[in-house]
Amino acid sequence: MAVPTAAHPELARALAAALAFRLEDLEANRAGRLARRQRLALLLIYLAFIGLTLLFPVGFLIWLLATPGPPRAEPWIVLLCAALPLFLLGSTALWTARALLRDALAGAVGQQVGQASTAAITRTLRGRSDTRYTVQFGSDHSFDIPRAAFDAFQPGRVYRAYYLPASGKLVSVEPIG
C-alpha cells in the first residue's frame, strides 16, 4: 500500500516540523494509537510538571516537619510564600489538563478527514494584539495550531488529522489529496 505522505513529501515534512511530530509517528497514528515517542513525550511533560509543582512543595513540607530542633521562621515563610502557591498552581493546572493526561495514558487517537480551512483570529487585550491560529477539517471542531503550521497548510487540499479524543489536541496531520 502506498503511503499517503509519499505523494506530497515536502508538505508532509513541513507539517511534521511545524506540529512537532515525526513522519514515523504516522504509522502508529493510522492504526489508531499514539506512537511510543508521542506517548512518552506527553507523559514526561506531566511527570516533570508534577515533580516541580506538587512533589517539591510536599517534599519541602516533609523536610520542615522532620527537621529536629526548634522551628525557624525563614523556612516556613518560604513554604507559605513560594511552595504553597506553587502547589496550588500545579494542582489547578493538572486538574484542568486531566483530559490530556487521560489521553496520554490511553494512547488512542481519533482522526478526521477533510479539506483544511484555516483561520487567524486576532484580538487586542490591554493594547497588545494576540493572534490565534486554527485549522478545521470538515465540520467537526477546530484545532489550535502554531503560525508555522498555519503557513504550511495549502487551501483546497484534503488532509487526515490525528487527534487525542478526550482533550482534542492535534498530534499529527498528513496530506492525502
Side-chain angles (χ1 to χ4, degrees):
M1 177 178 143
V3 178
T5 56
H8 311 285
E10 292 303 316
L11 177 57
R13 278 194 287 278
L15 288 170
L19 294 170
F21 70 92
R22 294 185 184 159
L23 293 176
E24 303 87 53
D25 298 340
L26 289 171
E27 186 177 334
N29 294 161
R30 287 183 198 112
R33 57 182 164 56
L34 282 172
R36 178 185 162 114
R37 187 198 64 79
Q38 290 172 315
R39 194 173 190 180
L40 284 175
L42 285 172
L43 290 174
L44 285 175
I45 289 169
Y46 277 97
L47 289 176
F49 190 77
I50 288 170
L52 287 173
T53 61
L54 300 179
L55 298 180
F56 172 72
V58 169
F60 190 75
L61 177 63
I62 291 171
W63 174 77
L64 279 175
L65 295 174
T67 302
R72 295 184 357 246
E74 295 86 6
W76 288 97
I77 292 171
V78 170
L79 176 73
L80 292 174
C81 293
L84 185 60
L86 186 64
F87 182 82
L88 294 174
L89 176 70
S91 300
T92 304
L94 284 174
W95 179 256
T96 58
R98 67 190 181 281
L100 190 58
L101 182 59
R102 187 174 38 233
D103 281 333
L105 293 172
V109 297
Q111 60 178 279
Q112 284 185 355
V113 176
Q115 281 188 337
S117 66
T118 56
I121 303 159
T122 303
R123 62 182 182 169
T124 303
L125 296 172
R126 297 183 191 157
R128 288 182 30 172
S129 63
D130 177 40
T131 303
R132 184 176 149 225
Y133 301 97
T134 62
V135 65
Q136 188 171 352
F137 306 94
S139 62
D140 289 348
H141 69 283
S142 63
F143 302 97
D144 289 333
I145 56 173
R147 171 68 191 258
F150 177 81
D151 293 337
F153 279 107
Q154 296 175 353
R157 187 170 300 280
V158 177
Y159 297 88
R160 182 178 294 124
Y162 302 98
Y163 64 96
L164 300 174
S167 62
K169 179 181 175 10
L170 188 64
V171 292
S172 62
V173 176
E174 64 180 326
I176 59 172

